[in-house]
Amino acid sequence: MSATLIDGKILSARLHGAVAKKVYFLKSNYNIEPSLAVLHVGEDPASHIYVRNKSKKANEVGINVVDLKFPAHTSERDLFEVINRLNHDVNIHGVLVQLPLPEHINSSNILSSIDPNKDVDGFHPLNIGLLNTGQRECGFVPCTPLGCILMLKHSLQDIRGRNAVIIGRSNIVGKPMSALLLQEDCTVTIAHSKTNDLPNLCKTADILIAAVGQPEMVRGAWIKPGATVIDVGINRLPAEGQQTLLVGDVAFEEVNLVARAITPVPGGVGPMTIACLLGNTVRAASIANDLPLPTWTL
């Protein structure tokens, strides 16, 4: 028997609908147009695709996008100046810096320079601190972990008391994911490249989050029967001709036979990440205008 598919396209469409209603409410009642500034530096092809997808979805729900492109040689100081202007622009509610940045730019410095109330990616140290001290309602939660939590709660309804294993300890996914799961009363283990006997650790997981960046690393034999698997990985493998094949960190065909539910790649976590970014932008517009903050459910 195959696992139930946790379809990110369907779930993100629901969230898009809720965000679009809130955008319409803000425009019609307060003449507020939620606006997102997106900064991307250089010519990385994947980054251009991500920015284009974000802009397209934002426009579909009525969010204005200011797309700011910079050449790869742009200095850190120049980026600071742009972000400072955006921080003080009352018509811009969210500021997003597309990662990765060129090597000569310190990403941490740049992300820390964004106004925490406009940090829709949730990467500012203040927002990270609020999340890790259980005050996530006061700030912004990173979009990918937030999307994963919404998908888990939709699939399992009640995740309290579950054993959760996260493979990957990044600041973007692994660490904030652990904070969110702890707040949902899960028992959480973060695994990484130095973890001993990773396959047997994964077998203890009722919930497994794979965010390690290694194509199809997680095998079917690693999975506890009936577990729920969230595959955050997006890896490009060579295919016939000049095509590439998108795969996750999970060997889907194997794990699909053991798990209770699983996200696909593509079409799983990716669409939910963008939907949560749009939700965070509406949240930022509400913060800027001292209005009640929206909450999102599926």
Side-chain angles (χ1 to χ4, degrees):
M1 182 179 294
S2 297
T4 300
L5 202 66
I6 307 174
D7 195 322
K9 293 181 179 179
I10 292 174
L11 297 180
S12 64
R14 295 182 186 177
L15 186 49
H16 286 158
V19 171
K21 288 180 180 178
K22 187 64 176 179
V23 171
Y24 177 79
F25 175 82
L26 291 175
K27 288 182 177 180
S28 59
N29 289 276
Y30 298 99
N31 197 30
I32 298 168
E33 181 181 39
S35 295
L36 172 66
V38 181
L39 292 73
H40 53 121
V41 184
E43 300 299 328
D44 180 65
S47 291
H48 281 287
I49 293 172
Y50 295 147
V51 170
R52 186 165 64 245
N53 289 341
K54 291 170 183 175
S55 297
K56 177 183 176 183
K57 293 300 182 181
N59 290 329
E60 287 176 0
V61 300
I63 292 174
N64 176 53
V65 176
V66 179
D67 191 1
L68 302 172
K69 301 178 182 178
F70 302 92
H73 63 263
T74 300
S75 70
E76 192 171 300
R77 180 177 179 178
D78 288 343
L79 275 186
F80 280 136
E81 291 178 355
V82 172
I83 291 171
N84 185 55
R85 290 199 299 271
L86 295 171
N87 285 342
H88 290 90
D89 188 339
V90 296
N91 295 311
I92 296 294
H93 304 108
V95 177
L96 180 152
V97 176
Q98 181 65 42
L99 301 176
L101 291 170
E103 290 184 0
H104 69 277
I105 297 176
N106 187 309
S107 298
S108 295
N109 289 343
I110 293 297
L111 296 176
S112 297
S113 72
I114 298 171
D115 181 342
N117 286 328
K118 296 189 178 188
D119 170 39
V120 290
D121 254 342
F123 295 157
H124 190 282
L126 177 60
N127 286 318
I128 294 170
L130 289 170
L131 173 60
N132 280 280
T133 54
Q135 303 174 76
R136 79 189 206 203
E137 69 281 355
C138 300
F140 292 95
V141 175
C143 304
T144 296
L146 180 57
C148 292
I149 279 289
L150 290 174
M151 297 173 90
L152 281 170
K153 294 178 77 171
H154 173 80
S155 178
L156 290 171
Q157 303 299 316
D158 186 1
I159 65 175
R160 292 175 297 177
R162 311 262 183 167
N163 288 329
V165 173
I166 304 165
I167 311 176
R169 51 180 168 178
S170 73
N171 292 328
I172 294 174
V173 179
K175 292 176 183 177
M177 192 77 241
S178 69
L180 288 172
L181 287 165
L182 285 170
Q183 289 175 28
E184 297 294 339
D185 295 324
C186 291
T187 300
V188 182
T189 303
I190 298 182
H192 46 78
S193 60
K194 302 295 189 295
T195 298
N196 291 324
D197 198 4
L198 182 58
N200 277 325
L201 176 62
C202 291
K203 283 183 182 179
T204 69
D206 304 308
I207 296 169
L208 181 67
I209 313 289
V212 69
Q214 295 293 327
E216 299 183 327
M217 185 185 85
V218 178
R219 315 304 301 189
W222 297 23
I223 304 301
K224 177 182 180 179
T228 298
V229 179
I230 305 293
D231 190 351
V232 181
I234 300 179
N235 308 283
R236 297 179 185 274
L237 298 180
E240 293 184 8
Q242 296 183 339
Q243 300 295 316
T244 57
L245 178 67
L246 280 181
V247 300
D249 291 348
V250 171
F252 182 87
E253 297 301 330
E254 294 180 19
V255 173
N256 188 43
L257 299 175
V258 185
R260 186 197 70 85
I262 187 172
T263 58
V265 176
V269 174
M272 281 298 296
T273 296
I274 295 177
C276 289
L277 170 66
L278 306 183
N280 277 352
T281 302
V282 172
R283 181 182 179 87
S286 301
I287 290 172
N289 291 277
D290 295 320
L291 295 172
L293 302 183
T295 57
W296 314 111
T297 57
L298 299 176

